[in-house]
Amino acid sequence: QVQLVESGGGLVQAGGSLRLSCAASGRTFRTYVRAWFRQAPGKEREFVGAITWSGGSTYYADSVKGRFTIARDNSKNTVYLQMNSLKPEDTAVYYCTAGLPKASVTSESEYDFWGQGTQVTVSS
């Protein structure tokens, strides 16, 4: 059974940092694009960041560029999201995903495997 399991979420004050992890099991995602999306209350799910299979290319939403860093360790089948300088507007459930995008790495329809999500809450 394929599973993506996120961890590392929690409550943090504005300006603080969190590091999310997403461990995959059931198959290897070594050749897959890995990405993070988030969904805030009352809003649609949105793209946060993505990383190619080799880690050679990364992509970020404008809202997190310069504050968030995505990385992966293929030997551990795990992807990470380092979040610094957190803002209250970063509050959301964060989802990790894996897929083989053909058109756009920012589109959630391009991803086949999803985790259950981890809550990140940033207090002001």
Side-chain angles (χ1 to χ4, degrees):
Q1 181 181 357
V2 176
Q3 280 191 311
L4 299 178
V5 179
E6 302 96 337
S7 61
L11 173 64
V12 64
Q13 287 189 330
S17 298
L18 282 174
R19 187 194 193 209
L20 305 183
S21 299
C22 175
S25 61
R27 65 168 296 159
T28 178
F29 289 101
R30 185 170 53 86
T31 61
Y32 278 59
V33 172
R34 305 290 298 274
W36 290 91
F37 286 74
R38 67 185 182 186
Q39 187 167 22
K43 295 188 177 181
E44 293 186 352
R45 191 154 55 184
E46 65 176 3
F47 171 78
V48 175
I51 186 167
T52 54
W53 71 272
S54 66
S57 295
T58 55
Y59 307 85
Y60 297 97
D62 288 342
S63 59
V64 307
K65 204 171 292 183
R67 300 188 297 122
F68 290 12
T69 303
I70 189 169
R72 66 190 294 165
D73 185 339
N74 287 335
S75 68
K76 297 181 179 179
N77 225 6
T78 298
V79 65
Y80 306 95
L81 185 68
Q82 178 66 44
M83 304 186 294
N84 299 330
S85 302
L86 282 161
K87 305 175 181 179
E89 50 264 44
D90 294 319
T91 295
V93 177
Y94 283 70
Y95 299 89
C96 76
T97 149
L100 296 169
K102 295 179 176 61
S104 172
V105 298
T106 66
S107 173
E108 62 176 288
S109 65
E110 298 276 7
Y111 295 92
D112 301 308
F113 302 94
W114 291 83
Q116 293 299 306
T118 185
Q119 177 70 47
V120 171
T121 303
V122 184
S123 64
S124 56

